[in-house]
Amino acid sequence: MVAVIGDPVAHSLSPVIHNAAFAHLGLDWVLVALPVPDGAAPAAVQGIRALGIRGTSVTMPHKAAVIAELDELTHDARRLGAVNCVTRSGDRLIGDNTDGAGFVAGLVHDFDFDPAGASCVVLGAGGAARAVVLALARAGAASVRVVGRTPANVAAAAELAGERGAVGTPDSVDSADLIVNATPVGMGDGAALPCDPERIGAGQIVADLVYHPLTTPLVSAALRRGARSANGVSMLVHQAAVAFTHWTGEDAPVEAMYDAVGAHIGGVSGDLSSKR
Ligand code: NAP
């Protein structure tokens, strides 16, 4: 048994993705969603230990709160101060953050794009942005500029990319190979866009981490401007794929995971459509 803990957790896609993967491989495993209220992360981790739960996806509001309860953290989890995946190894619970690795794997899947040497812009400076910044720098991006509204958050996120990180401005988008929307802007709020679409052009890749609506205002605008673009389904699937491998030791059946998400949320969008 594996679990996802969060509040709210009823709409988490983790059960959909992982249970489809277990079924696809014929593994006698199940993932269940466990609502854990804010403040109850320590008790939940004790429960995970007592019940011998093999793996746990961690979502809001517990990504930082579980850290003090774990035995070990990966490099990414420590740098980011956030855990989204707990794996039991013997008696030990190990916390990782699989979002960044999942994001980069999604870039390869959607666009056959390797960030090495690329000029990247990340819009937003929250948890998802930080994971993406760290992963892009590790993947060898030439530069990672962070553009956001709260200067302290932007500077802290940019710092994660070391000397290749910088605080960007709205016009940083003009010269970027890759533009990532890591803000919630465009999520079910009509036509709002996280950057000026006039700055987007052919030859650029625009990755929106938002996937509700399926074709986000940014993906629509980017495709209209001749850029390649896709929503956040790939990051969702690939971060889960990394967790799946941590827990089971098996390669994740990524295409079965995409199929399950697509069937649940009504399809995929942008460049991802041509891959499915
Ligand atoms: P978060 O930690 O709350 O960070 C949100 C960031 O967006 C912050 O930097 C915030 O600015 C900025 N922001 C919020 N509203 C804004 C606005 N109206 N205009 C400009 N900037 C705004 O959230 P998160 O966990 O990073 O998630 C961000 C988005 O990514 C969400 O839509 C989430 O659903 C999506 N996401 C997708 C995946 C996936 O697998 N596809 C994974 C994780 C997250 P401040 O710094 O000023 O607060």
Side-chain angles (χ1 to χ4, degrees):
M1 177 178 156
V2 287
V4 53
I5 60 168
D7 186 19
V9 80
H11 298 294
S12 166
L13 288 171
S14 291
V16 170
I17 298 174
H18 285 286
N19 290 330
F22 296 144
H24 185 84
L25 293 185
L27 297 178
D28 187 16
W29 286 57
V30 65
L31 185 142
V32 292
L34 302 175
V36 172
D38 199 5
V45 175
Q46 275 180 25
I48 287 164
R49 284 187 197 279
L51 295 169
I53 290 175
R54 294 277 283 275
T56 310
S57 284
V58 181
T59 184
M60 296 301 290
H62 305 307
K63 289 185 176 189
V66 294
I67 286 179
E69 313 303 322
L70 302 176
D71 301 303
E72 197 176 319
L73 294 179
T74 62
H75 172 266
D76 279 16
R78 198 172 316 107
R79 284 296 304 279
L80 296 171
V83 161
N84 75 340
C85 171
V86 176
T87 305
R88 185 160 66 86
S89 172
D91 290 339
R92 296 174 67 73
L93 294 181
I94 302 165
D96 190 16
N97 191 307
T98 65
D99 275 342
F103 174 72
V104 170
L107 285 180
V108 175
H109 179 277
D110 292 2
F111 309 110
D112 298 319
F113 179 74
D114 177 353
S119 157
C120 306
V121 167
V122 177
L123 307 170
R130 290 168 57 81
V132 166
V133 167
L134 185 63
L136 287 173
R138 170 157 346 97
S143 65
V144 185
R145 293 194 176 79
V146 182
V147 179
R149 63 182 183 181
T150 305
N153 295 350
V154 172
E159 220 175 271
L160 290 164
E163 61 190 20
R164 282 168 289 157
V167 172
T169 56
D171 64 5
S172 303
V173 165
D174 299 4
S175 57
D177 301 310
L178 171 70
I179 301 148
V180 184
N181 175 34
T183 76
V185 177
M187 210 168 140
D189 58 358
L193 288 165
C195 69
D196 178 359
E198 299 295 316
R199 296 188 177 280
I200 299 172
Q204 291 181 315
I205 290 176
V206 179
D208 198 344
L209 302 193
V210 173
Y211 51 85
H212 183 76
L214 274 182
T215 301
T216 65
L218 179 63
V219 170
S220 286
L223 294 174
R224 271 200 307 276
R225 301 281 303 167
R228 293 191 287 158
S229 188
N231 69 13
V233 164
S234 286
M235 178 171 173
L236 179 73
V237 166
H238 288 276
Q239 61 78 28
V242 177
F244 184 93
T245 300
H246 283 346
W247 299 338
T248 65
E250 306 272 350
D251 286 343
V254 166
E255 297 307 324
M257 294 162 105
Y258 270 107
D259 288 345
V261 174
H264 197 81
I265 67 176
V268 294
S269 78
D271 273 48
L272 194 47
S273 311
S274 61
K275 296 269 179 182
R276 305 296 305 143

